[in-house]
Amino acid sequence: MAEVKWIKIVTDIFDDEKILLIESMPEHDAIIVIWFKLLCMAGKTNNSGVFTLNDKIAYTDEMLATIFRRPKTTVQLALKTFEQFGMIEIVDGVITIPNWGKHQSLDAYERKKERDRENKRRKRAEQKALAQKSDDVVARQSPDASTDGAKSRSLEEEGEEDKKEIRGRVEENTELPPPPLQTNYETLCRQYGKSFVDERVTRAKKYSGTTMATVAKWCEEDAAAGRTKKTKFSNFPNRDYDVSDLERKLLMS
């Protein structure tokens, strides 16, 4: 058993008749000191008031004299006195203090220690249950990372499939724009009149790098500004021009 850190001593111990009788004896101070040493030793070993070493070897008067640092004869006198007054009993050569646990209220002490241990066990169990409950809540609120990764990949794949489907629908429903109309001299003459177009061609020769596209733009802008002059000469038959040769001349001028 674990040692007891304290022993119970009543405050009127020196009024006890046994102690009063001891005080009238020779070496009474040494005998009383040995008594208190025995009480402290019984509490330290906490072996129900039985003085044995390692629960096997009974303490002898010589051993106690060494431990208490007292003469052997004084220890022998003290033990004989204690036995006569019923303060100790020697059973089969083993020194004991009768009713040690009862007088020291060690039963109540042990019961209190057991209650304390039980309370600690119960509190630890409650704390463990709360900790497990908290872990379960966190686990439910935090889905597994691998599951998140799989869901993310699945969503990405679905998104790519949706994009492909949308692109297919757009391609099916989208008509190609008509090819751009070829811009040439003859077309411009039919649209704006030959003399009108020739004026812009003459202007274009003054600028390096001017093309028929530029002439067409000027025709469009001037016509929108109301500069087209409708005359009786505007409807003359168009002359045959080599368009490629004309563009080459415009670029070279």
Side-chain angles (χ1 to χ4, degrees):
M1 299 176 66
E3 67 179 76
V4 176
K5 297 298 182 180
W6 52 267
I7 59 174
K8 180 180 178 181
I9 299 175
V10 294
T11 57
D12 60 350
I13 185 172
F14 289 100
D15 294 330
D16 184 272
E17 59 182 10
K18 296 176 183 178
I19 299 299
L20 291 173
L21 291 173
I22 291 174
E23 286 184 329
S24 64
M25 297 173 57
E27 300 188 59
H28 56 274
D29 288 340
I31 294 174
I32 291 175
V33 170
I34 291 173
W35 173 244
F36 281 106
K37 284 181 177 287
L38 279 175
L39 295 178
C40 292
M41 187 177 182
K44 186 176 181 180
T45 57
N46 195 18
N47 191 28
S48 301
V50 178
F51 292 89
T52 56
L53 180 63
N54 296 329
D55 296 331
K56 296 179 180 180
I57 303 173
Y59 282 101
T60 63
D61 51 5
E62 293 181 357
M63 295 170 64
L64 294 177
T66 302
I67 295 171
F68 295 161
R69 297 183 295 276
R70 298 288 174 173
K72 178 181 177 180
T73 55
T74 303
V75 172
Q76 289 175 339
L77 175 62
L79 292 176
K80 184 177 180 180
T81 301
F82 299 151
E83 185 179 13
Q84 289 178 347
F85 290 165
M87 299 166 68
I88 64 171
E89 291 181 0
I90 299 178
V91 181
D92 297 329
V94 179
I95 303 171
T96 65
I97 297 179
N99 301 320
W100 167 257
K102 179 180 179 180
H103 291 303
Q104 291 294 320
S105 301
L106 293 181
D107 292 340
Y109 174 73
E110 291 297 331
R111 287 194 298 271
K112 182 179 182 302
K113 288 180 63 177
E114 182 61 29
R115 286 196 303 270
D116 292 342
R117 286 193 292 267
E118 183 62 29
N119 290 335
K120 290 181 180 179
R121 284 194 294 267
R122 186 175 65 256
K123 289 180 179 178
R124 283 195 295 267
E126 292 175 355
Q127 292 173 348
K128 184 177 180 180
L130 289 174
Q132 291 176 347
K133 183 177 180 181
S134 177
D135 292 341
D136 293 341
V137 171
V138 172
R140 286 195 298 269
Q141 292 179 349
S142 302
D144 184 67
S146 59
T147 304
D148 287 345
K151 289 182 178 179
S152 178
R153 288 192 296 272
S154 177
L155 290 175
E156 290 178 359
E157 293 172 357
E158 291 178 1
E160 290 298 327
E161 292 296 331
D162 292 341
K163 291 178 181 178
K164 290 179 181 179
E165 183 178 354
I166 292 172
R167 284 197 298 268
R169 292 176 181 175
V170 171
E171 291 173 358
E172 292 176 359
N173 297 329
T174 302
E175 297 181 355
L176 292 176
L181 296 176
Q182 184 178 2
T183 303
N184 54 41
Y185 179 78
E186 294 178 354
T187 303
L188 294 175
C189 287
R190 286 194 297 268
Q191 183 175 359
Y192 299 104
K194 180 178 179 301
S195 60
F196 185 83
V197 175
D198 287 344
E199 291 178 4
R200 276 75 192 164
V201 171
T202 302
R203 188 201 312 172
K205 291 181 179 179
K206 298 178 181 180
Y207 303 98
S208 176
T210 309
T211 64
M212 287 302 297
T214 305
V215 173
K217 183 177 180 182
W218 289 347
C219 291
E220 179 183 357
E221 292 176 350
D222 291 346
R227 297 178 183 176
T228 304
K229 296 181 180 179
K230 298 293 183 180
T231 67
K232 61 182 181 180
F233 301 102
S234 299
N235 296 323
F236 287 167
N238 294 331
R239 295 175 57 187
D240 293 332
Y241 287 92
D242 186 344
V243 177
S244 299
D245 182 62
L246 179 60
E247 289 184 347
R248 184 171 57 254
K249 290 179 178 180
L250 287 173
L251 292 174
M252 294 176 60
S253 61

